[in-house]
Every structure is written in C-alpha cells, then in structure tokens.
Amino acid sequence: MPERVIDSMEKVIVADKLTKKFGDFIAVDHISFEVERGEIFGFLGANGAGKTTAMRMLCGLSIPTSGKGLVAGYDIHTQSEKVKRNIGYMSQKFALYDDLTVAENIRLYAGIYGVKEKEIAPKTKELLLRLGFDNERDTLVKSLPMGWKQKLAFSVAIFHEPKIVFLDEPTGGVDPVTRRQFWEMIYEASDRGITIFVTTHYMDEAEYCNRVCVMVDGRIDALDSPRNLKIQYNAQNMDEVFQQLARNAKRTDAI
Amino acid sequence: MLPIEVKNLYKNYFPAKSGKFAGIGNPVQHSGETATVETGLSFSVSKGEIFGIIGPDGAGKTTLFRILTTLILADRGTATVDGFDVVKEYKEIRKRVGYMPGKFSLYQDLTVQENLNFFATVFNTTIAENYYLIKDIYQQIEPFKNRRAAKLSGGMKQKLALCCALIHKPSVLFLDEPTTGVDAVSRKEFWDMLKQLKNQGITILVSTPYMDEANLCDRIALIQNGQFLTIDTPAKIVGQFGKTLWTVQSDNMSRLLLDLRAVKQIESCFTFGDSHHVTILNDQFTKTDLHKILHEIGHTNVEINEINPTIEDCFMELSKHS
C-alpha cells in the first residue's frame, strides 16, 4: 500500500445548508458541517431526528431538496455515482451474506465497489492473512463467531480503500468485548487516514469520536468534541449531553 | 407458585448427534471444579418482579422467550408460567401472558386503533375494560390513532406493540428486546412505563443487549452462548466483582490503551467511554506505581481513579471464564 500523507486540513465531507423535504415535512433542515480526513465523526440524534435521511443524502442515495454536499470531493447531487464508488457502508442490520463463504463475500462486495478483477485475489489473500482468517476463506459466514463477522464486515466495507466509511449503528446487539475490539479497528482505520462517519445509540461510543454532532428535529443543535460538549452542557458524560439536547425535541415521535 | 419457574431447560437447534450446538442450556464445565456439569437453564421470577435477561445477539434470549411463550418446544427440562406447564397447558398460558416479540409483529395495514381493537377482541375483551392499564402509554399515540401501523415511527410502533400486549391484562409480560435500536431518551421513557406496570402487579421478563439497562431491573441474568453467567440483583453482581478496578486517562488515549496492556501487573484493559478500565493482578501494585510507569513512557495529564464496576465490567469479567 503506498504511503499516504495525511493532510489534516483536507475536507472529505462538506455539507452546506443541506435540506430534505418530504411534502410539507422538513426531515433535514439546512444542516452545515465539515468533516476532515481521518476524523472519527459521531452522528447522534433521537429516532426521527433526521439522521438516516442525512446519511442517505451523503451516500448519494437521496437527492437533497436544497443545499449542497461534497463527499470525497464529489457533488452528492450531480455526481452521486462517483460518491458511491468512493465511500464504504456498513450496518449491523445488514452487513454480510450468511450463506456465502468468507472469500465469496469479499469477492461480491469488491465487485460491487468496482475493484479491478485482477486486484481482488491478491488483496483478498493479504486481507485474510492480516486478519488471521486464512484458514476460514471457505467457511460460511453464518458459522463464524460474532467478533469475526464484525471484523470481516468492516474490512469488506473498506476493501476498496474508500476515503470515507459510513457506519450505521455498527455495534447494535454486539457483546461488550467484541464491541470494544470493533472500536479498536475503527481507530486503526482512522490512523490510516480513512474518515469514519458513525451513528450509534451507545453513548459511551460517542466518547470515542473526535467530534460529535447531535441532530434534533432535523437541525444540528450541537457539534464539538465530546470534551467540549461536556463542558458546555455541564455534564458528566455524553449520555447527559444527549439527554439534555434530545429532550428538547418537539417531533421525536410525531413523524 | 411463582409466575415463572424454569428448570434445566435445554434446546439445541442442531441434531443431537451432530456434535454442534446452537440454542440454550448447553453443558458447562466450571473450571476448578471436578465433574460438575450443569445442564440447562434454571431460574425463577417472583410476582411483580422486573427480571432482565441481558446479553448480546445470539446468546439465546429469544429462544428462551419462545419456549416460555409456548411457541417452540425445549428438548429437555421444564418450565411453568403462572403455574401452568409450557407443554401440557400451553393454552392456559397463551390466555394469560402478553408477548412483545423483538421483531415488530402487528398488522401493518391496520390503523393504531384497529390493531388495538383486534388484539382486545382476540382475547375476548374490550379496549374499555382494561383501558386504565394502557392509558398513560396509549395517550402518547392517540393523536395518530387513525394512522396505519406501517406509517408509524419506531418509538410509536414500540408503544403500540406494548399496548397490544397489555390490552388483555396479562399476569406476565414477556418483552423481547423492546429497546433495541431505540434512542437513549426513548429508552429511558420506556423503562419508566415498565416501572408503572410493575406497580400494577404485572410480572415482567425483559431482554436487552444494553448493559446499562441492568440497573433498572430487580434481578438480572447475564447470558452468553446459551448459558447464564450469573443470576442476582444488579447490586450483588457488582459486589461480587472481586477485583480492584481503575479508570485511567491521559492525553493520548489510543496509545495509552496499548501501553496499559503492556504493563505486566495489569490483568485486563478495556476502553470505557472517555477512560480506560483496568483490573490489577495484585494489590501491592498502587496507583502511584502506575503513575510512575506512565510518566516514564511520556504520558501527560495522567489521571487514575478507583471505581466501582458497572454491569458491563462484570459481564466482561464473567464471560472470560465461560
């Protein structure tokens, strides 16, 4: 892998007054923020706050009603196919095909993300060696322990070396030890310069992010490092910060 | 007669001769003891108790719930709900329990009110008869009573499902992961509702993957790989941790994690929000000793504090030995 020079000032996500309306309903209301290269960016909010809609726009899956967004240098409105090629995506709900083997899953996703045919085999070999999975290449994913599945799902999402990986509640229902090992993988990826955009309902995980933004009623009501947020809201931990902000939500359930 | 009594419950989804296991109650050989092989899960729940089954996906929580709600059969062992046997007297049990499965299982094409009315009718009752039981919860979704269930938000679906599980005034309520995927504020509200129901005398068996919800239960069972790691009150489980636990912080948290793991007096080290939790191998090793080590390898603003363990610390400690 060629050495990457990490330019911390490089903006990999720029959202400028990004807005999505469904009829009269404003799901995402003029949100603006920037995410830097290699940053671990936590995206929090109550159910219905607009997280998923915002994330779908940034992934090139939903066209904004107004506003502008640049992801990996591409316009999410006019270059959504290029956006999709330069990001990775993983969620706990849907990550890998259980009835395919480890190698088949890698090959399938590598193909979908447009990795060149001749690069897939050597990169697969290298990945399996690095994960210590070389004996499991022909094992069906459903028979892997949960911790292994998680590692594999994350590795598959960044197999094509995207600039950004979107993680949508990646650790829901995962046991505490595996959850922590997963975050150690996130740290490693971020050290290699991959930007991590992550949503979670575990407030201790919000503490692991470089910066956290909290969405309330489609707006961004807070955006800062966990340390500064705790000072600003006079809170012991991120759970208290979140409770203070999200309790003000008017529409939590009314959508 | 206790609302729930379970003895030596065992279920393996694989054939007995396959040598493989997926289910609950697989035999566990305790280390240090000779030939004590426990088979099956055993526990009981008292009237009006909130009993939590806490563990990750795939631990066996849903299997246990399905056996107790008479939807699947165990291979071995016995269980009674409200004094009725889950195999022989399943019809009695079905009349008496409320069950909220982990997957939303109401009718998507019926409205809020139609769903509630349907479940009341199935159980031979009316909404009016037991309205007092659901009033506080139902009022929150009442403005949307003519909306189809498919069009509800996650939090509203959860409230409707709880109303439907309660409308026949069950004596035992089974809630399988009611708060999974629900945000931290709504989770708090949901647990407040459970407390209200407990005060009405309803016994509640609830499962969750969120360890921080353990303290909201009267008693809990921690479960992993189909086995209980422990059953007790949250306070007693924390009290039995039996090891010195410190939080450690410095300016470089990700390097600190690796450096702490390299200290030979430290047994385990895990990330925990804004600090790392470490357990110590022997009591001779003091905070001052660790300060000195970390200072020597260049850590700045080091802070070390002794704390009481959380349930999550206990889970990780207990799961090491299973």
Side-chain angles (χ1 to χ4, degrees):
Chain A
M1 206 185 295
E3 187 85 21
R4 295 187 202 215
V5 184
I6 297 178
D7 171 8
S8 67
M9 294 312 283
E10 190 188 333
K11 309 270 188 250
V12 290
I13 302 178
V14 180
D16 184 17
K17 302 190 191 77
L18 209 54
T19 301
K20 181 81 185 183
K21 290 183 191 171
F22 297 105
D24 290 341
F25 179 71
I26 307 169
V28 174
D29 191 0
H30 295 82
I31 60 170
S32 300
F33 62 93
E34 292 175 343
V35 184
E36 285 169 9
R37 181 165 183 211
E39 199 173 11
I40 304 175
F41 190 80
F43 205 58
L44 309 184
N47 300 115
K51 292 192 304 286
T52 306
T53 307
M55 198 145 153
R56 284 177 58 83
M57 285 194 283
L58 294 173
C59 290
L61 298 173
S62 170
I63 297 169
T65 311
S66 66
K68 206 170 149 61
L70 288 176
V71 170
Y74 298 105
D75 189 311
I76 57 171
H77 195 162
T78 57
Q79 297 172 295
S80 62
E81 286 311 309
K82 287 222 166 81
V83 168
K84 288 179 203 166
R85 297 232 154 191
N86 284 280
I87 61 170
Y89 177 84
M90 175 200 163
S91 85
Q92 175 64 18
K93 278 184 208 130
F94 183 78
L96 298 169
Y97 287 91
D98 263 352
D99 47 0
L100 295 183
T101 67
V102 168
E104 285 166 347
N105 265 289
I106 297 174
R107 191 170 145 52
L108 173 67
Y109 279 100
I112 289 171
Y113 281 122
V115 179
K116 289 200 187 81
E117 191 68 33
K118 62 173 190 246
E119 287 175 13
I120 296 178
K123 278 195 71 178
T124 301
K125 204 172 168 185
E126 186 224 54
L127 172 66
L128 293 178
L129 274 172
R130 186 152 46 84
L131 294 174
F133 281 9
D134 36 330
N135 289 327
E136 308 293 339
R137 65 169 288 134
D138 298 321
T139 305
L140 287 183
V141 160
K142 69 175 158 205
S143 54
L144 290 179
M146 192 193 296
W148 294 35
K149 267 191 215 175
Q150 278 260 304
K151 279 187 182 166
L152 184 63
F154 184 68
S155 304
V156 162
I158 59 173
F159 189 82
H160 58 302
E161 290 166 39
K163 286 191 172 173
I164 307 151
V165 62
F166 288 88
L167 306 174
D168 194 4
E169 292 181 38
T171 56
V174 172
D175 73 79
V177 175
T178 305
R179 200 153 72 80
R180 285 171 172 80
Q181 288 170 348
F182 185 75
W183 271 92
E184 286 171 33
M185 283 191 85
I186 292 181
Y187 277 136
E188 279 172 39
S190 134
D191 287 342
R192 292 211 307 271
I194 296 177
T195 303
I196 317 285
F197 188 98
V198 58
T199 72
T200 179
H201 285 313
Y202 291 99
M203 288 304 129
D204 60 331
E205 294 187 345
E207 309 264 7
Y208 305 151
C209 301
N210 298 116
R211 281 190 307 150
V212 167
C213 101
V214 183
M215 277 193 83
V216 180
D217 294 346
R219 304 176 313 268
I220 290 178
D221 272 13
L223 171 59
D224 212 328
S225 67
R227 180 177 295 214
N228 287 344
L229 287 175
K230 281 182 280 183
I231 294 169
Q232 189 187 338
Y233 289 89
N234 193 20
Q236 288 292 317
N237 50 47
M238 281 304 292
D239 187 43
E240 286 179 21
V241 172
F242 184 78
Q243 298 281 346
Q244 284 186 42
L245 283 161
R247 215 174 279 145
N248 296 332
K250 291 190 177 60
R251 73 177 200 209
T252 44
D253 261 347
I255 325 164
Chain B
M1 181 206 74
L2 293 165
I4 300 175
E5 282 180 273
V6 172
K7 220 176 159 203
N8 302 331
L9 212 56
Y10 173 91
K11 165 90 185 172
N12 187 359
Y13 290 103
F14 285 113
K17 284 176 188 162
S18 68
K20 290 195 279 189
F21 182 85
I24 54 166
N26 47 327
V28 49
Q29 183 102 40
H30 287 290
S31 58
E33 300 160 37
T34 46
T36 46
V37 179
E38 271 175 38
T39 310
L41 300 183
S42 301
F43 72 105
S44 60
V45 182
S46 309
K47 184 159 169 51
E49 201 174 26
I50 299 183
F51 192 99
I53 306 283
I54 298 179
D57 289 357
K61 302 189 296 291
T62 299
T63 299
L64 177 62
F65 274 66
R66 287 186 179 157
I67 293 170
L68 294 178
T69 51
T70 78
L71 299 176
I72 59 171
L73 295 171
D75 298 336
R76 290 198 294 273
T78 57
T80 61
V81 175
D82 246 4
F84 297 101
D85 185 273
V86 290
V87 181
K88 293 189 201 112
E89 298 163 302
Y90 70 93
K91 283 187 179 167
E92 283 305 316
I93 292 176
R94 288 183 188 179
K95 282 184 213 162
R96 282 154 208 271
V97 304
Y99 174 43
M100 186 172 152
K103 188 172 175 288
F104 183 71
S105 303
L106 303 183
Y107 292 91
Q108 305 268 13
D109 49 354
L110 295 186
T111 66
V112 167
Q113 203 173 21
E114 285 167 345
N115 264 296
L116 192 57
N117 198 27
F118 175 82
F119 281 94
T121 313
V122 163
F123 286 101
N124 247 328
T125 182
T126 59
I127 296 176
E129 195 167 336
N130 295 316
Y131 187 69
Y132 70 96
L133 209 53
I134 61 162
K135 191 179 155 212
D136 290 345
I137 310 161
Y138 189 67
Q139 276 176 346
Q140 300 173 46
I141 51 174
E142 209 171 7
F144 315 99
K145 65 181 179 188
N146 294 320
R147 190 177 288 191
R148 283 183 195 185
K151 298 281 177 191
L152 297 177
S153 72
M156 285 206 294
K157 277 184 179 162
Q158 178 206 41
K159 282 169 189 153
L160 176 60
L162 184 59
C163 287
C164 290
L166 280 169
I167 197 59
H168 60 299
K169 202 186 178 205
S171 51
V172 186
L173 191 56
F174 291 91
L175 306 172
D176 193 5
E177 298 207 25
T179 55
T180 292
V182 175
D183 68 73
V185 173
S186 306
R187 285 206 277 139
K188 278 219 165 77
E189 285 173 8
F190 192 81
W191 278 94
D192 289 339
M193 290 188 258
L194 295 193
K195 230 175 262 172
Q196 299 284 331
L197 294 171
K198 171 193 161 75
N199 293 339
Q200 304 257 18
I202 294 177
T203 305
I204 300 172
L205 188 74
V206 54
S207 71
T208 178
Y210 295 105
M211 305 275 156
D212 59 346
E213 293 179 349
N215 291 316
L216 304 166
C217 303
D218 298 314
R219 282 193 304 144
I220 54 171
L222 300 180
I223 187 170
Q224 189 169 45
N225 300 325
Q227 297 158 355
F228 286 153
L229 301 172
T230 184
I231 304 173
D232 217 323
T233 63
K236 279 198 183 137
I237 290 172
V238 164
Q240 285 157 5
F241 188 68
K243 282 187 178 146
T244 305
L245 185 71
W246 294 342
T247 61
V248 188
Q249 289 171 294
S250 86
D251 284 332
N252 188 339
M253 291 299 284
S254 99
R255 189 161 74 86
L256 181 66
L257 185 69
L258 302 175
D259 289 343
L260 286 169
R261 284 185 181 155
V263 176
K264 65 177 189 297
Q265 291 90 342
I266 286 176
E267 189 189 33
S268 71
C269 173
F270 287 109
T271 54
F272 251 91
D274 62 354
S275 65
H276 299 321
H277 284 193
V278 300
T279 55
I280 309 305
L281 273 176
N282 68 53
D283 287 344
Q284 263 77 62
F285 189 67
T286 65
K287 285 189 269 187
T288 319
D289 295 333
L290 183 58
H291 258 295
K292 210 170 141 226
I293 291 172
L294 294 176
H295 189 73
E296 273 165 14
I297 51 177
H299 280 281
T300 48
N301 284 319
V302 175
E303 207 170 304
I304 306 170
N305 290 300
E306 185 165 346
I307 54 153
N308 286 323
T310 65
I311 289 293
E312 195 155 6
D313 289 300
C314 298
F315 189 97
M316 292 200 283
E317 182 64 29
L318 290 164
S319 67
K320 267 201 314 215
H321 306 297
S322 79

